[in-house]
Amino acid sequence: MNPGIILSHRKNTSAMPHHSCNILNLLVAISLATCPTAWTFTPRWTHFHCQPEMLERTRIKRRHNLIHVRSPSPSQLNAIDSVSAAAAAASAPVLSDYAPAATSLFNNMKLPAAVVTAGMISLGFATSFPELPPDSPERQYSPRLRRRCESLRRLHIVTALVSVTSELIVVMWAAVEVNQLTERVYAPTATVWDLVQRDCDLAWSAVNSHFVLGIIGFVTMLALRAYVMLLAAEASSALMTAASTGTAAALCLMISIVNRGVEAGGGEGVGYGKTILDLVRHYGILLARCATDAESPGPLEFSAIVLEVTSLAFALQVLVLANDKMEDEEECPVVDLDSDYAPLTSKEQEKLDICLAMEARQHELTDSSKKEKAKELDSDSSVNIL
């Protein structure tokens, strides 16, 4: 049997209308035109009856099993190409000059760093560190507590120095990078993050790293000063605990804000990492790579890395050995002229000269004070006589 659709029926007393058979034939023809395979479909009617000549006309035979598709004309191909090009252009990012936007980013870091630097200079060097008051009958401070406050005072000086220099690096690097972004011509990019990553990666990571380190140092300075001031003010342990935990909470929140910013990066998973440590590590890698570049080496950058590593090593030694205080020098040497003694070394002779000069100065002050007291007594006695 040739492939086609065969419509069969069951005899019934009622007849199918003529226009119903025509509609059925049209539906069968449409189904064959849309599907290239051969079908054998035998619907059964129980209530309708078609005439034999109508069934014969509904027998449809297919001549070919393939459907021939006409190839598109050149005008249609050109239209397809133009539509594809328009779609590609719509999906491609638009390149623009983002140098002014990058300049704004560096200015946003430079101004706060300058303000914080001024505050740290005033707090760390222009203002003296608080001290514990002298012992009194009402309040005595243990020698251990006084030594601790002295250690905190020395730590405060070092923290202020590191924080100020860190913020100064931010101001310097941001100012130079703003000048570069203004003077040079940069190739267009899709986003400002692409421009920063391509041409300002080292500067941007350095500015962010040093700014965060300076802020952490600033908070540390405030905490050290507040601790000693609360001790001098005879604050209770509950009040000191409240102050310390509040400061620690603020510091943790600031670090968390920076971590969130580092994790967000430029969006779409592009950034320096997830924490501030990843940012500092990225900055260190770029700085070392720039310092050891064969085409344009940086001897001063390499020196800065070596000196910073040395500083961290000595800071670690101080933390481990607790040797933040200068060793007490020996007392002035005692020389017995009547006995035989070995000649003094140059260092011992220098120390002896200093001790003799200090002793002579002490005698002069003592004599002058005695003469002033004698004059005061004479003037008082003369007044009483009168």
Side-chain angles (χ1 to χ4, degrees):
M1 179 183 293
N2 293 331
I5 295 180
I6 302 175
L7 302 177
S8 61
H9 68 281
R10 288 182 180 179
K11 291 183 179 182
N12 199 306
T13 56
S14 62
M16 176 181 287
H18 180 72
H19 64 274
S20 299
C21 293
N22 292 335
I23 294 174
L24 181 61
N25 294 338
L26 180 61
L27 294 175
V28 172
I30 292 174
S31 64
L32 283 175
T34 57
C35 184
T37 57
W39 293 84
T40 301
F41 178 70
T42 309
R44 299 179 181 273
W45 296 278
T46 58
H47 302 287
F48 300 98
H49 175 71
C50 291
Q51 298 296 330
E53 61 274 12
M54 297 301 298
L55 293 175
E56 187 66 23
R57 282 200 302 266
T58 58
R59 192 183 303 273
I60 301 173
K61 297 181 180 180
R62 297 188 58 192
R63 295 181 180 179
H64 303 283
N65 292 329
L66 299 177
I67 297 177
H68 300 282
V69 180
R70 187 176 61 181
S71 59
S73 61
S75 60
Q76 293 175 341
L77 291 176
N78 294 333
I80 293 173
D81 294 339
S82 61
V83 172
S84 301
S91 61
V94 179
L95 301 181
S96 302
D97 182 17
Y98 284 96
T103 302
S104 299
L105 290 177
F106 281 99
N107 283 326
N108 291 340
M109 302 298 294
K110 181 177 65 175
L111 181 60
V115 174
V116 172
T117 302
M120 285 191 293
I121 291 176
S122 176
L123 187 66
F125 300 100
T127 306
S128 60
F129 190 76
E131 297 180 355
L132 295 178
D135 292 337
S136 62
E138 294 80 11
R139 177 64 176 173
Q140 293 86 24
Y141 297 94
S142 63
R144 181 181 179 183
L145 186 59
R146 290 188 177 276
R147 288 194 299 269
R148 182 191 304 171
C149 292
E150 289 296 323
S151 299
L152 294 179
R153 182 171 66 88
R154 290 186 285 270
L155 179 61
H156 178 269
I157 296 173
V158 176
T159 305
L161 181 62
V162 174
S163 302
V164 169
T165 53
S166 183
E167 295 297 336
L168 289 177
I169 291 174
V170 174
V171 175
M172 177 66 69
W173 215 320
V176 173
E177 200 63 30
V178 166
N179 293 337
Q180 290 292 316
L181 290 169
T182 306
E183 296 168 356
R184 294 174 53 189
V185 177
Y186 293 86
T189 55
T191 60
V192 64
W193 178 259
D194 294 337
L195 175 63
V196 169
Q197 288 292 293
R198 187 189 65 189
D199 300 312
C200 312
D201 195 8
L202 175 59
W204 185 242
S205 59
V207 165
N208 283 272
S209 299
H210 284 288
F211 182 78
V212 174
L213 292 178
I215 292 296
I216 294 175
F218 193 19
V219 176
T220 304
M221 292 169 56
L222 293 175
L224 294 176
R225 296 178 68 91
Y227 175 76
V228 180
M229 292 174 68
L230 288 174
L231 286 178
E234 300 181 1
S236 62
S237 58
L239 182 59
M240 295 188 65
T241 302
S244 60
T245 52
T247 306
L251 184 60
C252 291
L253 183 57
M254 286 188 286
I255 296 176
S256 176
I257 293 171
V258 176
N259 291 340
R260 294 294 185 182
V262 173
E263 184 179 5
E268 299 180 357
V270 180
Y272 296 122
K274 294 185 177 181
T275 62
I276 184 177
L277 297 178
D278 297 328
L279 174 63
V280 176
R281 179 180 59 83
H282 181 75
Y283 164 53
I285 292 174
L286 291 180
L287 184 61
R289 189 181 303 169
C290 184
T292 57
D293 189 6
E295 297 180 358
S296 178
L300 294 179
E301 294 171 341
F302 184 78
S303 300
I305 294 174
V306 173
L307 293 175
E308 185 63 28
V309 172
T310 305
S311 175
L312 294 176
F314 277 96
L316 182 62
Q317 177 187 359
V318 171
L319 292 176
V320 174
L321 302 179
N323 56 351
D324 58 321
K325 185 179 179 181
M326 183 185 299
E327 296 181 0
D328 296 334
E329 295 184 357
E330 297 179 359
E331 297 179 355
C332 295
V334 178
V335 179
D336 188 3
L337 299 178
D338 297 333
S339 61
D340 297 335
Y341 63 93
L344 298 176
T345 61
S346 59
K347 185 176 181 179
E348 292 176 347
Q349 184 65 39
E350 181 181 0
K351 187 181 295 184
L352 180 60
D353 296 338
I354 293 174
C355 291
L356 293 175
M358 291 176 61
E359 186 176 358
R361 178 63 178 169
Q362 186 67 28
H363 285 303
E364 291 177 1
L365 293 175
T366 304
D367 295 340
S368 62
S369 61
K370 288 181 179 180
K371 291 180 181 179
E372 290 178 358
K373 288 182 179 180
K375 290 181 180 180
E376 291 178 358
L377 291 175
D378 294 339
S379 60
D380 293 339
S381 61
S382 62
V383 169
N384 292 331
I385 293 173
L386 293 175

